[in-house]
Amino acid sequence: MNRHSLAVGPLLVLAMLTPARHAAAQTPAPRPGPSPTQPIDEQYSKKIREYTTETFFLSTLVDYLPASKTVPTPSVVLGDIAGAPNKLPYSKEVYAYMRLLAKASPRVKVFSIGTTEEGREMIAVAVASEALMGKLEANKAALAKLADPRTIGMNDAEAARIAAEAAPVYYITGTIHSPEAGAPTALMELAYRLAVDESPYIKNIRDHLITLITPIVEVDGRDRVVDLFKWHMAHPNDTWPSLIYWGHYVAHDNNRDAMGLTLKLSQNVLNTYVDWKAQVIHDLHESVPYLYDNTIGDGPYNAWLDPLVTNEWQMIGWNNVQEMTRMGMPGVFAFGNFDTWSPGYLMFMAATHNGISRLYETFGNGGSAETLERTLSPGETSRTWYRQNPPLPRVKWSLRNNNNYEQTGLLVSLSYIASNRELILRNFYEKSKRSILKAKTEGPAAYVLSGDTRRPGTQAELLRVLQKQHVEIARATGAFTVSLPARRGAAVRQSGGADSAAARQSGSGAETTRSFPAGSYIVRMDQPYSRIADALLDYQYWAPNDPQRTPYDDTGWTFPEGFGVEAVRVTDTKVLDVPVEKLTGEVHAPGGVSGQGEVVAISHNGDNALATLRYRFKDADMQAAEEPFEAAGHKFGRGSFLIRGVPAAELDKATKELGLTGYALAAAPSVKTHPLRAARVAILHTWQGTQTEGWYRQAFDLLKLPYDYISVQDVAATPDLKAKWDVILFPPAGGSAQSIVTGMPMWRNPLPWKNTPETPNIGTWAQTEDMRPGLGWDGLRNLQSFVSRGGVLIGVANTAGFAVQYGLTSGVSVNQAGQSRVVGSLLRSRLVDESSPIAYGVIDSLAVMSDDGESFSINSTLGGRGGSRFGEQSGRPTGRGTASDPDVVQGRPALDPRFELPPRPSVEQWQLPPISDEQLRNPLGVIPPAQRPRAVLRFAAQRDLLVSGLLSGGGELADRPVVVDAPRDQGHVVLFTINPIYRGTTVGSYFLVFNTILNFDNLNAGRKLDVR
Ligand SMILES: [Zn+2]
């Protein structure tokens, strides 16, 4: 902690003093407290005091509620005040109140901002003075000029004039994490206060600032957590189920989607933020006592942000601590256990779009609205340099306390921004301007995605992510050439190099040039939202000796690498002079079928739309070519699709839609083929963790790949799994292998997860009378029999470990990273066996997501492969002569050559060790060749291993297999230690899973068996 006390301490004193002095036209912050002339709602205020457990958990900002004759308080909907014990409102109650407020007050408006995956509405509530509300559009137009300084010719004087007059927009987002359930009631009351309170403190906010509130970000999860809480209240003596599903797909990870923008809530919040030209996103969480303003967090800071914003974090955050400390509220602090590196958090949408990201952790009661006695750990209550007034070791804690902290912190923040609005708007303009100047100052000038890519569909998918981020994309109208800088050392990579041999070969050190064809995409950095594009397309490097020892989340995310698409970082500013057309619609890969003939060939390039096509025509005859071939003047890779029996017009339409290019052939090529099946797939989940598997369901749904969603309990109850499914995909489930089998403890009462009148918001797609039972021995036996009879089981990370530990595979063991360290990094892989159908269309040198550096070892005999290979030493033993001389035993004739061991071939980590004569004498432990594991993909050599993020060491994982096909009787268990389908960011590795599915009954294709 020393480095921070020295580095941050003196700075923060300056930060608190300077902004107030320098702001040109600021309003001094009035003193908090009620207006002397406005009546108080005595009854409501009395309840506030009653439900607050200690007087010091109140502030002068929230210890009263002003009365209004016309505007209803939250009690009209809640039947009690906001934060009352045991009152947790559903989304419809929260929305109903916000709309009542809007009806009663001209200072409030409610906007619908989209829907969730399950069709629930998301809203944004704007609160400001009548005068500001009357000119919302004009104010937005003014802010738009600051947001895009190109529109005013980068005129600083004009910007200063606008900054002096416009009102900033402060966007507050509540309860993205459903069990952190307190924000909606705090925000209902906050909206009332902002609309009604005539005190100078609130009036200053209302007159100079537009407060925008999305009271519930994860609406689907909100309604479910309220269901569970009501169930708990109705069954007070029972243990209660945990919230196994928050959103439709993911739980806590909904706050990791600000890069990929795959979830509706991310898209809706970003669109609202950008549409309103807001300056701040302030996201409310509840897992740390009592208020941790984690905006400031800890290093390392995200390297793509303008330092102006990281300074703003300090300014606003420390002011927050200072003011709440002044009000006597304990446990308010700013620095702490959160590094500000990954831009995946919801709040970061503001930081990466020239605004200010902010986040509070207040203290909640874990999805309950009860008042509870809470005991804190010594680590939470210790006094330290950044927490001089720490939380108390043991107190009664109420929802009202939480709401007091949330509202007080927010009001202090709103007041600060209102009073320093001109500074904030000038900074907003400055950051936007510097994002445009970036192309010519720090660079790069642009990223170029070549028009001649092998993978146009995946390239378009990557570009669409940028478009969702409101990044402008241009397309070159002619061919062009740029110079690429000299490289330092062979290890320096070109982005997305996996797609391009040309880019790799030019790594010699001298400056080179690169030519791109017409139609190439250019992501120019002279645009307002260049920073998010740069942050996603660039590489991340987390130094192994970084003082931050516990990265909060993934350390690397380079999108072109994860997608397996090349994006060339161009610093040559000539690229900005290339004639382009600006794209207006969504980027879409070209497609369609050309030529005439019965058989249509589509090259397997790993574009995920190929899997969609297979299922769209699920009864059509589709074959996979087992070898590359040429036809109709085109080259087709291994695994390419040969399609028969789909009407030409239909196939043409589908391939156009999907961005796939087909060639109709007069005759089928004479290449060996096997059927590509529209296999029957089940995605399997436990009742203990569905977070990570949610990303799989989402990918399948977005690609329109059908599946049944089943639980370990369904497997236990289905003896003949093979009758229903061909492939069971078991994505990472969390927990140990043993817990997959045993489930939860069976003591106490059943834990239902069911759609009932009592819990109407629990989805019907996954239900059980009792969440406790796991797979059990019946389930294990059914899975074994499923695989033995020709089924394919796919295990990933801990479910792969489960399959290995419970003997579903032979000759595979799992290695931890040992002394090496990997924390959510992209690592380089290499194809081991290109002829395996699992590898069809997958590029060599693909970057893969490794959570912690886990890898496999494979062996031809039972048991693990261990550290030293077959227990033998390499090199000669200590003895006479030089290192290359033979040893000589004294007093014995020189060794006859017939007694010497034949030289052993060297065996790489990804190869099966050969079987020795000794092992064959009684070969019980020798796995028959056809049942031995087959490595498909491995980690690259140590020197090539790191693509993006943190890698320390690497020797223990280098070269080791990461995707293994383990045959078992008639079927296969396909194992992954990497996560191929993750947060919408690893699109380049999805097809490893899809290939396994489509080729489930031909996975042995191309396999060369060991001779013995
Ligand atoms: Zn949270």
Side-chain angles (χ1 to χ4, degrees):
M1 292 301 171
N2 267 340
R3 75 195 166 92
H4 295 288
S5 57
L6 292 172
V8 177
L11 276 179
L12 76 95
V13 176
L14 278 175
M16 284 183 306
L17 294 176
T18 48
R21 298 265 160 86
H22 286 180
Q26 62 147 16
T27 322
R31 293 174 68 84
S35 153
T37 56
Q38 186 177 26
I40 299 296
D41 185 329
E42 292 296 348
Q43 203 188 349
Y44 197 105
S45 303
K46 184 168 158 280
K47 295 261 187 171
I48 293 176
R49 291 188 295 274
E50 183 186 333
Y51 298 152
T52 301
T53 60
E54 301 292 341
T55 52
F56 47 76
F57 294 145
L58 262 179
S59 72
T60 46
L61 283 170
V62 298
D63 63 1
Y64 70 96
L65 195 81
S68 167
K69 287 204 172 72
T70 52
V71 181
T73 71
S75 57
V76 293
V77 164
L78 298 173
D80 203 333
I81 71 163
N86 307 336
K87 292 270 174 200
L88 218 50
Y90 283 113
S91 60
K92 64 171 189 287
E93 298 168 88
V94 177
Y95 293 0
Y97 175 67
M98 294 300 196
R99 289 193 157 112
L100 283 175
L101 205 53
K103 219 170 148 188
S105 169
R107 296 168 176 170
V108 181
K109 277 193 173 133
V110 175
F111 300 85
S112 203
I113 61 165
T115 53
T116 66
E117 276 76 7
E118 294 179 10
R120 292 181 179 84
E121 185 189 19
M122 287 179 71
I123 65 166
V125 184
V127 194
S129 67
E130 293 94 320
L132 267 180
M133 288 307 247
K135 53 176 187 188
L136 274 186
E137 286 309 314
N139 190 65
K140 187 188 284 188
L143 294 179
K145 291 177 183 167
L146 303 181
D148 188 351
R150 295 173 301 184
T151 58
I152 52 170
M154 314 280 257
N155 183 333
D156 293 352
E158 169 73 354
R161 194 190 59 70
I162 296 169
E165 287 170 10
V169 178
Y170 195 108
Y171 188 14
I172 301 165
T173 50
T175 196
I176 184 174
H177 284 164
S178 305
E180 301 165 19
T185 46
L187 295 174
M188 289 161 81
E189 192 177 287
L190 182 78
Y192 175 88
R193 289 178 187 282
L194 289 171
V196 166
D197 196 329
E198 295 300 337
S199 71
Y201 195 92
I202 303 294
K203 236 174 112 358
N204 175 46
I205 296 172
R206 185 168 63 224
D207 290 345
H208 299 123
L209 176 76
I210 297 162
T211 305
L212 193 63
I213 302 169
T214 290
I216 303 167
V217 172
E218 177 58 273
V219 192
D220 298 334
R222 172 64 181 188
D223 286 352
R224 280 192 267 280
V225 86
V226 176
D227 272 3
L228 281 194
F229 177 65
K230 286 183 184 296
W231 188 93
H232 167 54
M233 298 307 284
H235 306 260
N237 298 320
D238 285 351
T239 52
W240 44 316
S242 66
L243 190 70
I244 182 89
Y245 296 95
W246 300 13
H248 189 72
Y249 293 117
V250 293
H252 196 265
D253 261 13
N254 59 9
N255 197 34
R256 302 293 183 273
D257 189 48
M259 291 191 269
L261 299 178
T262 63
L263 299 170
K264 298 273 197 186
L265 63 86
S266 314
Q267 296 161 15
N268 293 339
V269 168
L270 178 61
N271 290 342
T272 304
Y273 167 82
V274 167
D275 177 48
W276 280 78
K277 312 297 170 197
Q279 281 63 53
V280 184
I281 291 180
H282 189 151
D283 196 30
L284 298 176
H285 292 250
E286 300 168 18
S287 68
V288 180
Y290 296 131
L291 191 152
Y292 167 30
D293 183 331
N294 97 341
T295 311
I296 294 169
D298 191 1
Y301 278 5
N302 181 278
W304 293 264
L305 297 184
D306 193 318
L308 285 171
V309 68
T310 58
N311 295 341
E312 286 171 324
W313 292 342
Q314 306 284 345
M315 250 162 53
I316 301 167
W318 290 114
N319 173 75
N320 212 144
V321 175
Q322 182 76 335
E323 290 306 307
M324 291 180 77
T325 303
R326 191 193 309 286
M327 291 172 194
M329 298 181 96
V332 178
F333 62 103
F335 171 83
N337 173 36
F338 170 76
D339 70 66
T340 308
W341 175 245
S342 162
Y345 313 104
L346 186 85
M347 61 158 174
F348 242 76
M349 291 172 178
T352 53
H353 293 77
N354 302 324
I356 302 168
S357 53
R358 305 207 65 216
L359 192 149
Y360 280 170
E361 295 283 4
T362 58
F363 196 39
N365 278 339
S368 169
E370 296 161 290
T371 300
L372 301 168
E373 175 117 350
R374 296 296 300 272
T375 307
L376 303 182
S377 70
E380 291 171 308
T381 58
S382 61
R383 192 172 63 81
T384 176
W385 70 266
Y386 61 83
R387 198 173 53 205
Q388 288 286 357
N389 184 356
L392 288 78
R394 194 164 64 123
V395 291
K396 261 198 167 153
W397 191 256
S398 66
L399 178 59
R400 182 65 217 185
N401 294 358
N402 184 18
N403 283 186
N404 290 340
Y405 272 80
E406 287 174 316
Q407 287 191 71
T408 302
L410 287 168
L411 287 169
V412 165
S413 303
L414 293 170
S415 168
Y416 184 86
I417 302 294
S419 293
N420 295 282
R421 58 190 178 278
E422 190 174 347
L423 171 75
I424 295 298
L425 289 181
R426 280 184 170 192
N427 277 2
F428 181 60
Y429 167 74
E430 196 69 27
K431 286 180 287 182
S432 304
K433 190 176 97 178
R434 285 158 58 135
S435 291
I436 295 165
L437 296 175
K438 173 181 170 62
K440 289 187 175 166
T441 49
E442 70 265 34
Y447 286 85
V448 178
L449 288 85
S450 184
D452 58 5
T453 178
R454 278 182 58 211
R455 314 183 71 211
T458 314
Q459 185 189 66
E461 218 173 318
L462 174 59
L463 289 166
R464 288 197 296 270
V465 173
L466 295 178
Q467 288 185 309
K468 280 197 265 182
Q469 293 280 6
H470 295 263
V471 172
E472 299 162 4
I473 313 277
R475 189 157 48 187
T477 51
F480 63 97
T481 300
V482 296
S483 59
L484 298 177
R487 312 240 195 104
R488 286 180 299 167
V492 178
R493 305 152 308 233
Q494 190 60 49
S495 63
D499 196 28
S500 162
R504 297 185 148 261
Q505 283 158 2
S506 60
S508 57
E511 189 175 289
T512 54
T513 59
R514 174 98 186 257
S515 297
F516 297 95
S520 293
Y521 293 100
I522 304 180
V523 185
R524 298 167 61 114
M525 291 292 112
D526 57 348
Q527 58 170 307
Y529 298 145
S530 61
R531 289 187 193 283
I532 181 64
D534 195 22
L536 296 182
L537 298 175
D538 204 354
Y539 286 86
Q540 290 76 47
Y541 180 71
W542 185 301
N545 61 352
D546 190 281
Q548 172 64 268
R549 302 307 295 166
T550 52
Y552 197 81
D553 204 74
D554 294 338
T555 57
W557 53 80
T558 311
F559 270 50
E561 291 281 5
F563 278 61
V565 167
E566 186 192 17
V568 182
R569 186 175 192 268
V570 177
T571 51
D572 180 358
T573 53
K574 275 200 333 246
V575 73
L576 302 171
D577 302 327
V578 173
V580 293
E581 52 176 355
K582 228 169 130 176
L583 294 194
T584 47
E586 267 195 349
V587 177
H588 200 77
V593 178
S594 58
Q596 295 289 322
E598 291 296 294
V599 185
V600 174
I602 302 180
S603 191
H604 195 333
N605 60 1
D607 278 350
N608 293 327
L610 280 166
T612 309
L613 183 75
R614 168 63 280 194
Y615 281 94
R616 181 170 299 186
F617 300 103
K618 65 182 175 50
D619 299 320
D621 173 14
M622 297 196 192
Q623 302 278 324
E626 293 189 4
E627 296 296 333
F629 65 93
E630 284 189 46
H634 296 280
K635 288 186 169 151
F636 296 86
R638 195 181 264 113
S640 289
F641 283 40
L642 293 166
I643 305 169
R644 286 183 185 79
V646 180
E650 276 184 50
L651 192 57
D652 186 56
K653 179 167 173 279
T655 47
K656 279 195 173 110
E657 261 175 55
L658 295 170
L660 297 168
T661 301
Y663 299 94
L665 309 176
S670 64
V671 65
K672 188 176 181 209
T673 64
H674 66 250
L676 277 166
R677 311 273 191 207
R680 302 164 302 163
V681 177
I683 295 183
L684 173 59
H685 71 93
T686 67
W687 284 105
Q688 294 167 88
T690 62
Q691 155 84 359
T692 311
E693 64 89 18
W695 295 115
Y696 285 73
R697 278 186 288 128
Q698 185 200 46
F700 275 62
D701 286 349
L702 291 175
L703 288 164
K704 300 190 168 66
L705 308 181
Y707 61 92
D708 290 326
Y709 188 48
I710 62 173
S711 83
V712 287
Q713 295 173 3
D714 298 317
V715 170
T718 312
D720 191 358
L721 294 164
K722 189 70 189 71
K724 289 187 160 169
W725 300 291
D726 304 310
V727 178
I728 295 179
L729 168 57
F730 196 4
S736 66
Q738 191 196 354
S739 76
I740 290 171
V741 176
T742 57
M744 296 180 218
M746 289 303 290
W747 51 62
R748 305 204 168 92
N749 52 284
L751 298 175
W753 182 268
K754 240 186 145 191
N755 184 291
T756 65
E758 214 178 0
T759 49
N761 294 292
I762 287 183
T764 52
W765 74 88
Q767 304 190 74
T768 178
E769 299 289 343
D770 188 359
M771 294 163 72
R772 296 173 303 164
L775 185 64
W777 300 112
D778 286 346
L780 195 56
R781 192 187 55 226
N782 294 343
L783 268 187
Q784 279 172 344
S785 135
F786 167 76
V787 175
S788 290
R789 290 157 62 201
V792 171
L793 173 68
I794 303 175
V796 182
N798 82 316
T799 63
F802 149 80
V804 169
Q805 280 191 42
Y806 279 91
L808 291 167
T809 62
S810 302
V812 186
S813 52
V814 181
N815 312 305
Q816 305 308 318
Q819 295 298 308
S820 301
R821 256 183 100 225
V822 171
V823 183
S825 308
L826 284 171
L827 300 180
R828 188 72 66 204
S829 72
R830 300 302 309 271
L831 288 174
V832 176
D833 189 343
E834 289 180 61
S835 64
S836 164
I838 297 170
Y840 286 168
V842 175
I843 52 178
D844 195 15
S845 297
L846 182 71
V848 290
M849 173 48 71
S850 176
D851 183 39
D852 57 3
E854 204 174 77
S855 64
F856 295 119
S857 287
I858 56 170
N859 205 348
S860 325
T861 57
L862 292 181
R865 182 143 127 168
S868 65
R869 252 163 276 163
F870 21 100
E872 91 179 7
Q873 287 173 312
S874 58
R876 58 157 291 185
T878 306
R880 70 144 292 278
T882 66
S884 56
D885 281 343
D887 195 13
V888 171
V889 176
Q890 303 302 307
R892 190 179 81 180
L895 201 63
D896 189 293
R898 70 200 162 93
F899 296 126
E900 281 178 18
L901 276 179
R904 270 196 189 277
S906 72
V907 179
E908 303 290 353
Q909 292 283 4
W910 62 86
Q911 293 174 325
L912 289 168
I915 296 298
S916 69
D917 294 339
E918 290 292 316
Q919 290 168 316
L920 278 176
R921 277 197 305 126
N922 183 5
L924 178 63
V926 175
I927 305 168
Q931 296 286 313
R932 286 179 198 165
R934 179 186 192 186
V936 177
L937 201 74
R938 64 172 172 92
F939 279 136
Q942 190 175 353
R943 67 175 183 282
D944 300 327
L945 196 52
L946 178 62
V947 175
S948 215
L950 166 63
L951 172 67
S952 169
E956 288 112 323
L957 43 145
D959 296 328
R960 291 190 191 264
V962 292
V963 180
V964 170
D965 170 10
R968 179 191 174 89
D969 303 327
Q970 302 302 307
H972 294 255
V973 180
V974 176
L975 304 161
F976 292 76
T977 54
I978 53 145
N979 193 343
I981 300 183
Y982 180 66
R983 294 182 176 172
T985 63
T986 59
V987 172
S989 53
Y990 285 14
F991 232 109
L992 291 163
V993 174
F994 301 154
N995 277 330
T996 307
I997 291 169
L998 303 183
N999 297 280
F1000 84 94
D1001 57 349
N1002 282 285
L1003 289 179
N1004 285 331
R1007 176 155 200 188
K1008 288 175 201 68
L1009 296 181
D1010 293 341
V1011 288
R1012 64 178 201 174

